[in-house]
Amino acid sequence: MTITITAFERSPDGGRGLARDTRVRWALEEAGLPYDVRLVSFRAMKEPAHLALHPFGQIPTYEEDGLVLFETGAIVFHIAQHHGNLLPADDHARARAVTWMFAAVNTVEPPILELVTARIFEGDKPWTKERLPLVEERVRDRMKQLSARLGDADWLDGAFSAGDLMMVSVLLRLRPSGILDEFPVLATYVARGEARPAYQRAFEAQLAVNAPHP
Ligand code: GTB
């Protein structure tokens, strides 16, 4: 079985873990699965060969034995279902871990992406000064709720799961705004995720792609 994923040839963050191939690499590392990476340029992403894999012309994609997947939630779920220890065996615990995966991409990630858009892509618009505080408040509301739920637990529901992998990955995107650090429970949770050896390997592999070549 050969697994191939796609990633940015040059990531805008210099390969510092923010592009979404990181979460797929992390899941593969947690599952102990070797994988190949095909690097794609922004131009190649919009060409027919890549669009055949990803209808929206994005990274990452996942190929395994004729199976082609896109959407990181679906990819991580597939990896977790078939390999490794990312989903509990108990039926109810498994359903709850999957619930956290959905919560990460469906409830927590949208306001964070809205914030990234407001800060970075719309930062120079005249209305951003008024809009930004509203967007930030929506993010803070979610963080308060998530922080209250996590409390002093290490992970969202018992042992580390694909739900935590997705949630930590989503929260990482918030760090550059400074808002993550306003919530020590969540900042510590993210740091706990980053400290996992599998995350470290994924991060280093992505960074290596983007390191300046001599
Ligand atoms: N919902 C999809 C998923 O989860 O798989 C979203 C995939 C997606 O947004 N992919 C982005 C992409 O291909 C890369 S991750 N963008 C190119 C395009 O749409 O043309 C988003 C991302 C990019 C860069 C940084 N960064 O450098 O900080 C962070 C996150």
Side-chain angles (χ1 to χ4, degrees):
M1 173 190 63
T2 306
I3 294 171
T4 304
I5 67 166
T6 51
F8 282 136
E9 188 178 62
R10 278 276 161 270
S11 186
D13 71 339
R16 284 177 171 73
L18 296 183
R20 282 183 177 80
D21 57 296
T22 309
R23 53 186 81 166
V24 174
R25 291 173 185 271
W26 185 8
L28 289 165
E29 293 288 353
E30 292 282 355
L33 294 172
Y35 62 97
D36 293 335
V37 183
R38 193 168 59 250
L39 302 176
V40 285
S41 65
F42 278 93
R43 189 178 47 77
M45 259 184 265
K46 309 301 174 198
E47 288 176 352
H50 189 74
L51 286 169
L53 305 177
H54 196 308
F56 308 116
Q58 297 183 313
I59 60 98
T61 57
Y62 177 97
E63 293 159 75
E64 177 193 342
D65 285 344
L67 172 71
V68 179
L69 296 175
F70 59 95
E71 283 298 332
T72 51
I75 297 170
V76 171
F77 182 55
H78 171 79
I79 295 166
Q81 259 190 316
H82 296 282
H83 315 279
N85 227 358
L86 283 167
L87 285 175
D90 173 75
D91 238 26
H92 285 194
R94 199 176 179 92
R96 288 195 303 271
V98 172
T99 300
W100 280 116
M101 294 184 71
F102 275 89
V105 293
N106 221 20
T107 301
V108 177
E109 193 165 45
I112 293 178
L113 291 184
E114 204 190 346
L115 179 65
V116 171
T117 301
R119 274 169 39 90
I120 297 174
F121 302 111
E122 297 170 354
D124 59 348
K125 302 287 187 232
W127 31 262
T128 290
K129 209 162 161 272
E130 277 187 79
R131 181 165 183 261
L132 195 56
L134 303 175
V135 177
E136 287 176 344
E137 255 346 273
R138 284 198 283 276
V139 172
R140 286 193 180 96
D141 284 346
R142 278 284 174 271
M143 294 308 114
K144 273 179 215 149
Q145 294 165 321
L146 186 63
S147 181
R149 170 50 86 100
L150 185 62
D152 58 10
D154 279 356
W155 306 114
L156 288 165
D157 192 307
F160 176 82
S161 78
D164 295 295
L165 187 150
M166 290 302 291
M167 191 63 82
V168 167
S169 300
V170 160
L171 292 176
L172 271 166
R173 199 83 191 271
L174 190 57
R175 188 182 273 146
S177 71
I179 294 181
L180 181 63
D181 289 333
E182 293 174 20
F183 297 88
V185 164
L186 298 180
T188 308
Y189 170 62
V190 169
R192 201 175 291 124
E194 288 177 300
R196 292 180 70 85
Y199 178 86
Q200 297 282 318
R201 290 194 293 275
F203 183 93
E204 290 305 327
Q206 196 199 58
L207 189 63
V209 169
N210 289 272
H213 299 293

